[in-house]
Amino acid sequence: MQVDCQKFKQDGYLHIPGLYRPEEVATWKQRTVERMRAEGSIDEPSGVRVWLSGQLDDYDRNKVQDPRIEEVLSQLIGPDVEFLSVKAVFKNSAATFGSPWHQDWHYWHGATKTSIWIALDDASPENGCLKVMPGSHLSVVEMRGDDSDAPGFGSRSNEKDLPDFPIVSLPASAGDGVVFSDLLLHSSHPNQSGEDRWAYISTYRDASVRDESTLWSESIVLSGQSVNV
Ligand SMILES: O=C(O)CCC(=O)C(=O)O
C-alpha cells in the first residue's frame, strides 16, 4: 500500500482506511476484553491500558508488527523501525469523556515517535472519534491542563494554550488506522452513544535515531537495525 508521505509531513497524520479487516479487529478486541477482564483492568476509570513490548502475548506481538504496518511505517519513517508500546483506549457507558487535547510527545520526550490509532469499533463524532489539528505537529505546545474531567490524561493542554488551527474530526470504520506524529495535537469527542468505542494506539520510532526517552527498556525491531537496544 502506497501512502502519501508528503501529506503526512504537511498535516502530521494520515488516515489509512482498511489497514486491518473488520473481522480481524473484532477478534483483537474480543481477546483484549477477555485479557483485561482476567487481569481486572476492564473497569479502569481512565479508559486506558498500556502494554510494553515485553508484556505482549504472541497474538498481540504479531498484530503490532503486522507486515501492513511495516509497509506503511517504512515509507513514513524509513528502513529502521522499532515498536515500543501499545495502549487500549476504551470509551463506553462508564468512560464517556472525550480525550482532551494533547501531544503524545510529552508522555515520553526524546526523539520523535509515530503512533497508529487503530479503530476496533466504528468511530463517529457521536461515539468518540478522533479530532486533530492538521499542521500542529511542527511545534511543542505546553501541557498545563488538569485532569479533573478526564482521568488518566495528566498531560493535556489548557484551552487557552491551544494554537489557532482548524479542527478536523476523523470518523473511522473498524480496522482503519490513523498514523500520527507524537507532536500532532489530537483529542476525541465524548462517547454519547452508550455503546463501546474501543481503539488501540501502537507506538513506533525510527530505530536508527538515538533516543534519550527513558520510558522503554526494550523494543521490538520490525525492520532494519536499532541503535537503541
Ligand atoms: O480517545 C482516543 O482514542 C485518543 C486517546 C489518546 O489520544 C491517548 O490516549 O493518547
Side-chain angles (χ1 to χ4, degrees):
M1 175 193 310
Q2 195 72 24
V3 298
D4 190 340
C5 298
Q6 202 45 43
K7 191 164 168 50
F8 180 72
K9 256 193 208 141
Q10 181 186 302
D11 293 345
Y13 76 96
L14 266 188
H15 183 175
I16 305 195
L19 181 64
Y20 293 94
R21 292 186 301 280
E23 60 275 18
E24 281 179 279
V25 289
T27 307
W28 198 3
K29 177 181 169 186
Q30 189 51 40
R31 289 179 59 99
T32 308
V33 169
E34 282 161 17
R35 186 172 179 188
M36 288 174 53
R37 277 212 184 101
E39 69 181 19
S41 59
I42 197 83
D43 295 323
E44 169 56 48
S46 65
V48 164
R49 169 74 168 95
V50 182
W51 292 274
L52 304 179
S53 53
Q55 299 169 319
L56 301 181
D57 60 18
D58 288 347
Y59 182 91
D60 285 342
R61 271 178 89 91
N62 284 334
K63 276 277 172 282
V64 299
Q65 54 181 337
D66 189 279
R68 290 164 289 188
I69 291 217
E70 191 192 324
E71 195 185 351
V72 167
L73 292 182
S74 64
Q75 295 171 65
L76 300 177
I77 294 179
D80 303 294
V81 177
E82 60 193 329
F83 162 85
L84 296 166
S85 55
V86 66
K87 147 163 139 176
V89 188
F90 44 105
K91 310 286 188 195
N92 50 34
S93 53
T96 58
F97 55 87
S99 303
W101 286 104
H102 65 287
Q103 292 171 318
D104 288 348
W105 180 79
H106 296 271
Y107 294 143
W108 39 64
H109 298 107
T112 300
K113 264 69 89 183
T114 302
S115 293
I116 309 187
W117 182 95
I118 301 159
L120 300 185
D121 294 302
D122 292 342
S124 64
E126 290 69 43
N127 77 349
C129 73
L130 275 185
K131 292 187 279 183
V132 297
M133 290 189 186
S136 61
H137 62 300
L138 298 176
S139 48
V140 174
V141 173
E142 294 275 359
M143 294 292 116
R144 291 193 278 220
D146 71 69
D147 73 347
S148 48
D149 60 351
F153 284 91
S155 180
R156 55 177 294 179
S157 174
N158 264 337
E159 289 293 320
K160 62 178 167 34
D161 289 332
L162 284 174
D164 193 16
F165 283 95
I167 295 172
V168 174
S169 288
L170 297 179
S173 300
D176 287 5
V178 177
V179 189
F180 64 101
S181 154
D182 64 351
L183 282 175
L184 181 77
L185 276 162
H186 62 288
S187 65
S188 63
H189 289 274
N191 182 356
Q192 294 168 325
S193 68
E195 308 284 332
D196 275 9
R197 192 248 54 183
W198 280 58
Y200 260 131
I201 302 177
S202 190
T203 298
Y204 305 82
R205 70 182 163 199
D206 181 346
S208 71
V209 173
R210 167 78 47 207
D211 189 0
E212 304 306 328
S213 304
T214 52
L215 216 56
W216 298 279
S217 57
E218 55 188 321
S219 70
I220 300 171
V221 178
L222 265 69
S223 57
Q225 289 186 327
S226 175
V227 296
N228 288 301
V229 288

